[in-house]
Amino acid sequence: MKGKKNDTYHYNKTLGFDGGEGQRMKYYEFVSPFYALIKAHNERKAKAIYKKQVWEGGDDQWRERSRDYAMMKFAMTHDSRNTEVGLMLTEFMDDKSGVLLIDKNF
């Protein structure tokens, strides 16, 4: 049983569900004034990342998105001929908060 719990924890951490402190990673899509897809443990952290790394003056138009939605958006922006799938998944699923996608006109 003990090994199974460790395997389950590793599985969850690998899939990006566990934020390392028992928190689930969440995904937030900001649409105005600049598009950004951000992963963070909570709304407050996501807004702080947006203001610090994308645009100081705004975080009004956003919504929480599912992991599957965020993964599809993230995957669609990568050219599979030039991006190793394992590296892309590692970036998406690690337990670090940050910007996954940003407006190309930024």
Side-chain angles (χ1 to χ4, degrees):
M1 259 323 174
K2 188 175 182 179
K4 190 167 185 139
K5 285 183 182 179
N6 289 340
D7 291 344
T8 302
Y9 174 76
H10 177 72
Y11 175 79
N12 288 342
K13 188 168 182 159
T14 300
L15 287 179
F17 291 143
D18 188 348
E21 297 175 4
Q23 297 178 1
R24 290 179 174 241
M25 190 60 70
K26 296 180 180 179
Y27 302 89
Y28 301 89
E29 186 175 46
F30 293 80
V31 295
S32 181
F34 295 101
Y35 178 86
L37 182 63
I38 295 173
K39 64 179 176 174
H41 298 296
N42 56 52
E43 172 188 330
R44 182 187 54 75
K45 180 72 172 169
K47 287 181 176 184
I49 291 169
Y50 186 84
K51 286 183 175 182
K52 183 175 183 178
Q53 295 183 19
V54 181
W55 186 252
E56 283 182 24
D59 65 358
D60 294 336
Q61 294 185 350
W62 64 274
R63 69 172 40 155
E64 186 175 341
R65 294 296 193 170
S66 70
R67 181 185 60 89
D68 292 341
Y69 176 90
M71 185 181 287
M72 289 301 296
K73 288 284 261 193
F74 185 72
M76 289 173 27
T77 63
H78 289 78
D79 182 351
S80 62
R81 295 170 291 180
N82 298 325
T83 304
E84 186 179 323
V85 173
L87 291 174
M88 182 181 72
L89 289 174
T90 299
E91 182 181 351
F92 181 84
M93 294 180 187
D94 69 18
D95 62 354
K96 297 175 188 152
S97 297
V99 177
L100 290 171
L101 299 174
I102 195 165
D103 191 322
K104 66 181 180 182
N105 297 314
F106 182 70

